[in-house]
Amino acid sequence: MISLHHLSVGYGRRFLIEDASAEFVRSRLIALLGRNGAGKSTLLRAVAGLSKPLGGEVVVDGKNILALTPQERARFLAFVNTERVRVENLRCHDVVAMGRAPYTDWIGRLSAEDERIVEESLRLVGMESYINRPMDRMSDGECQRVMIARALAQDTPIILLDEPTSFLDLPNRYELCLLLAQLAHQQQKTIVFSTHELDIALELADDIALIDSPHLYYLPTPKMIGSGHIDRLFTSTNVTFDAQRRRVILS
């Protein structure tokens, strides 16, 4: 479980999110929404312990995330960013095996159990037949599934993803978010992902964390839809949010 205790994040003296408190529990898919520049990536980096908040703290399993060593953090949470891996001749197996780094010896030698977890992680994302395929010969959607497999191989209760649907076409965006929902429920993971795909998030996510700077609102999806927060944030002259149909309408 991730707990935000009066958390404030931003740059310098500029607060993007101020005095936010929330608890992200297991077996839930949580969509992080907000307008461009609202602080979605900044919040995810603070939760991952990659940057220091301006105030408050992030607590994971009863411990402040910044008090943990990098190896300890790597056993609590996995972070998938928007970077696309396109290293020539780097196999899917090798990328996913990087997720076992917190558990291997000092030279990174994989045990039989590590190899089993690598194969199982690829199976869970439907990529087991690609285990020896070079990453530079795969589509963006396939690569993103491999990066999620690497996070699964890390064997953490928490997975954070920053814009995982970037660079994907609409069918692949939906399929990827559906995969995240299945992993959260079937593997009992806390999965938090930032996204601009409002329609997909409202259909598939269990909970919504909505940044309306400097506020962070966190509610189960049906309650968030009925709260009016999304209507207020995403309704403008040319855009309307239809709460009943869970759709954004362009006029």
Side-chain angles (χ1 to χ4, degrees):
M1 182 175 70
I2 309 170
S3 296
L4 311 184
H5 293 173
H6 303 287
L7 187 71
S8 297
V9 300
Y11 301 100
R13 296 183 179 179
R14 183 191 174 199
F15 286 80
L16 296 174
I17 301 170
E18 192 169 0
D19 196 31
S21 295
E23 288 190 351
F24 304 152
V25 298
R26 296 193 76 157
S27 300
R28 306 286 283 182
L29 178 64
I30 300 148
L32 178 58
L33 303 176
R35 288 185 173 274
N36 286 337
K40 296 187 293 296
S41 296
T42 304
L43 176 60
L44 285 178
R45 290 184 61 81
V47 172
L50 299 176
S51 63
K52 187 176 180 180
L54 299 179
E57 63 178 354
V58 177
V59 176
V60 179
D61 197 31
K63 301 175 183 177
N64 186 313
I65 192 70
L66 295 178
L68 302 177
T69 67
Q71 186 173 29
E72 288 172 333
R73 285 202 301 271
R75 294 190 179 197
F76 275 118
L77 59 87
F79 186 83
V80 180
N81 60 27
T82 56
E83 182 182 358
R84 291 183 291 180
V85 176
R86 283 290 190 274
V87 179
E88 187 176 359
N89 295 324
L90 182 66
R91 299 181 303 155
C92 294
H93 171 277
D94 302 326
V95 173
V96 178
M98 292 177 188
R100 299 305 299 160
Y103 309 98
T104 58
D105 59 24
W106 66 277
I107 60 173
R109 182 166 40 205
L110 297 179
S111 67
E113 177 63 9
D114 292 324
E115 292 286 3
R116 185 196 67 78
I117 291 173
V118 168
E119 293 177 6
E120 174 66 7
S121 299
L122 282 165
R123 186 193 67 78
L124 287 172
V125 300
M127 298 295 289
E128 63 269 34
S129 64
Y130 288 69
I131 190 167
N132 290 312
R133 182 81 61 87
M135 292 288 288
D136 60 330
R137 299 181 188 176
M138 295 168 58
S139 69
D140 288 334
E142 291 166 344
C143 285
Q144 193 63 287
R145 284 176 177 260
V146 171
M147 300 308 292
I148 293 171
R150 184 183 71 172
L152 289 172
Q154 205 169 316
D155 195 22
T156 61
I158 300 161
I159 299 177
L160 309 176
L161 304 99
D162 191 10
E163 296 286 354
T165 58
S166 294
F167 314 114
L168 304 185
D169 58 21
L170 184 57
N172 275 310
R173 292 174 197 171
Y174 186 89
E175 288 179 7
L176 188 73
C177 292
L178 182 60
L179 171 64
L180 294 178
Q182 292 170 344
L183 292 173
H185 301 151
Q186 296 171 8
Q187 304 300 313
Q188 298 183 323
K189 305 283 187 181
T190 302
I191 299 183
V192 185
F193 73 109
S194 64
T195 183
H196 290 289
E197 311 299 332
L198 182 60
D199 295 359
I200 296 175
L202 295 180
E203 181 177 347
L204 297 178
D206 299 298
D207 304 318
I208 301 293
L210 180 70
I211 301 175
D212 186 0
S213 187
H215 305 293
L216 176 70
Y217 301 104
Y218 179 65
L219 290 168
T221 301
K223 290 186 177 181
M224 182 63 78
I225 291 170
S227 69
H229 295 315
I230 295 177
D231 306 62
R232 183 179 63 253
L233 184 61
F234 289 102
T235 297
S236 64
T237 303
N238 300 314
V239 180
T240 303
F241 174 67
D242 185 333
Q244 184 174 4
R245 296 167 57 197
R246 302 189 183 191
R247 291 290 182 270
V248 174
I249 300 172
L250 302 178
S251 57

